Amino acid sequence: GQQLNQSPQSMFIQEGEDVSMNCTSSSIFNTWLWYKQDPGEGPVLLIALYKAGELTSNGRLTAQFGITRKDSFLNISASIPSDVGIYFCAGQRSGAGSYQLTFGKGTKLSVIP
Amino acid sequence: NAGVTQTPKFQVLKTGQSMTLQCAQDMNHEYMSWYRQDPGMGLRLIHYSVGAGITDQGEVPNGYNVSRSTTEDFPLRLLSAAPSQTSVYFCASSGQSIEFFGPGTRLTVL
């Protein structure tokens, strides 16, 4: 199946630091999504991106849809302990009524108080 | 509005047993899907459905069956459980290209 390369796999950062993670693909996607998963829970949508070049913010989170439509990044500014979790990127190739997503393998974020 | 609900939350099976994981959504979404999540593998699509009566295979469909008799429900059946099916299973439904996930079912096959 399709693969998304998400990096880094894990990060340990100090509280207050900024965080950056990204996803790249060999295929073009129409939509990029970023999810966060807390332990024992399902993924929760953070940001959705629909157009190449789009830059969208949600509080301290900012994500961009790459111009080539093959990549996306997520930044978290001034990290806090509750940012801990696994962050997933997902790409979607819409069409024929299908919303099939391809997920990256996740970035595990640890925040040291 | 409960969103996506899944039952059970935890399940232990013996090899060869069968069971059905339940999934329901109350958002009137046409598209529903099942994923499994394994350490280091991310989320992998098992089966999906674009509407009642229509299902299709995802990336890892072997060993699983699905049906979609109503818009609300999308059960996942394991016909003969194997240890390789030990995983966390997530059901999701989509509206406007955004997938909403259920809380997951943690399945262990001994």
Side-chain angles (χ1 to χ4, degrees):
Chain A
Q2 297 292 332
Q3 289 287 327
L4 288 185
N5 297 312
Q6 185 172 349
S7 64
Q9 280 189 326
S10 62
M11 304 179 74
F12 287 83
I13 61 167
Q14 205 74 36
E15 182 177 356
E17 286 184 349
D18 297 344
V19 173
S20 185
M21 58 192 80
N22 68 82
C23 271
T24 60
S25 170
S26 57
S27 305
I28 288 174
F29 289 105
N30 298 327
T31 302
W32 281 94
L33 304 171
W34 284 92
Y35 286 86
K36 183 192 177 202
Q37 185 178 27
D38 291 324
E41 304 289 332
V44 173
L45 182 71
L46 297 174
I47 292 180
L49 302 158
Y50 299 104
K51 286 189 220 176
E54 180 181 352
L55 185 72
T56 296
S57 292
N58 178 6
R60 294 178 295 105
L61 277 60
T62 302
Q64 184 157 31
F65 191 144
I67 290 288
T68 65
R69 295 165 69 190
K70 293 182 180 180
D71 62 331
S72 177
F73 72 75
L74 175 71
N75 284 346
I76 305 172
S77 63
S79 58
I80 59 179
S82 62
D83 290 334
V84 164
I86 303 177
Y87 292 79
F88 291 100
C89 63
Q92 185 183 73
R93 226 176 269 102
S94 307
S98 172
Y99 296 118
Q100 243 185 85
L101 290 179
T102 301
F103 280 85
K105 293 185 179 181
T107 295
K108 186 174 182 179
L109 179 64
S110 300
V111 178
I112 304 165
Chain B
N1 193 338
V4 180
T5 57
Q6 289 183 240
T7 56
K9 198 161 177 66
F10 300 95
Q11 182 72 50
V12 178
L13 292 177
K14 293 182 181 175
T15 298
Q17 285 185 314
S18 63
M19 81 158 293
T20 300
L21 279 62
Q22 301 292 343
C23 174
Q25 53 96 3
D26 60 1
M27 297 176 280
N28 203 31
H29 289 162
E30 291 294 329
Y31 185 84
M32 295 185 74
S33 51
W34 275 102
Y35 293 85
R36 61 177 289 171
Q37 184 176 33
D38 303 295
M41 299 294 291
L43 288 143
R44 292 183 292 168
L45 183 65
I46 304 172
H47 285 284
Y48 66 96
S49 168
V50 299
I54 307 169
T55 64
D56 207 344
Q57 296 181 349
E59 183 186 351
V60 287
N62 292 342
Y64 307 95
N65 276 359
V66 291
S67 59
R68 185 95 180 271
S69 55
T70 67
T71 300
E72 294 78 21
D73 300 298
F74 190 42
L76 178 74
R77 277 184 289 278
L78 283 71
L79 300 176
S80 179
S84 61
Q85 293 179 304
T86 293
S87 187
V88 182
Y89 291 86
F90 289 101
C91 177
S93 75
S94 290
Q96 310 244 323
S97 80
I98 294 174
E99 285 208 285
F100 296 91
F101 286 85
T105 294
R106 186 174 293 275
L107 176 67
T108 301
V109 183
L110 303 174

